[in-house]
């Protein structure tokens, strides 16, 4: 196949060929071209309003950046239905926020008297809580990163304190961290060293 035929067969590559020589493109970068640019980030005010309106459990999942779904050993393997293509459906609810449901699609095969199962797809669905609480931010507020959520939580926890007071407390904590009789310092050292 000639270069011209390749360009005609793969127009995405042809468009990518307009980049400067030596430019490296990631898969994510190519996908961004298709979506028309990067997703807009939520403003600090939108994140703060979201953090004020949801439970600590939802904030834990948001700040962590992932949900806590039980493993097969913890929850067992129970299928809740069959989809239109014959794949088995398994649903798992997040053990922390209880608003996210992972829907797994499994297929079973039989070969030589042995049955094997494998997960072929997985998606997330979000439910509305009994109190009307939602995991997803309101439409139009932009994409919220775990860092933005954590920054908002920290800012709210430290509200009312001056920057100088926080710096002074951190400096005092650093001097007492060297004291082996301080149980809080021992825990901090264990967390830092991994022991």
């Amino acid at each position: 196949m000639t270069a011209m035929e390749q360009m005609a067969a793969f127009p995405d590559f042809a468009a990518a060929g307009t980049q400067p020589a030596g430019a490296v493109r990631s898969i994510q970068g190519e996908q961004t071209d298709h979506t028309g640019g990067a997703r807009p980030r939520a403003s600090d005010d939108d994140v703060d309003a979201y953090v004020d309106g949801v439970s600590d459990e939802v904030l834990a999942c948001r700040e962590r950046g992932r949900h806590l779904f039980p493993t097969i050993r913890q929850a067992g393997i129970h299928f809740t239905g069959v989809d239109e293509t014959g794949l088995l459906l398994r649903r798992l609810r997040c053990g922390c926020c209880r608003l996210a449901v992972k829907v797994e699609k499994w297929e079973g095969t039989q070969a030589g008297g042995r049955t094997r199962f494998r997960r072929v797809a997985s998606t997330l669905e979000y439910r509305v809580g009994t109190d009307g609480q939602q995991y997803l931010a309101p439409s139009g507020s932009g994409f919220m990163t775990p860092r933005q959520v954590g920054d908002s939580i920290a800012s709210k926890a430290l509200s009312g304190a001056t920057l100088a007071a926080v710096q002074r407390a951190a400096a005092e904590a650093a001097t007492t961290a060297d004291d082996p009789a301080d149980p809080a310092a021992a825990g901090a050292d264990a967390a830092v060293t991994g022991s």
Side-chain angles (χ1 to χ4, degrees), residues 109-116:
T109 57
Q110 214 160 2
R114 184 174 180 194
T115 305
R116 297 284 300 173

Side-chain angles (χ1 to χ4, degrees), residues 143-190:
F143 176 70
M144 291 182 199
T145 66
R147 177 175 284 182
Q148 284 178 297
V149 172
D151 291 349
S152 177
I153 294 168
S155 297
K156 289 181 182 306
L158 295 170
S159 68
T162 65
L163 181 57
V166 171
Q167 289 172 334
R168 206 171 21 258
E172 289 173 14
T175 59
T176 59
D178 297 331
D179 182 6
D182 183 10
D189 288 343

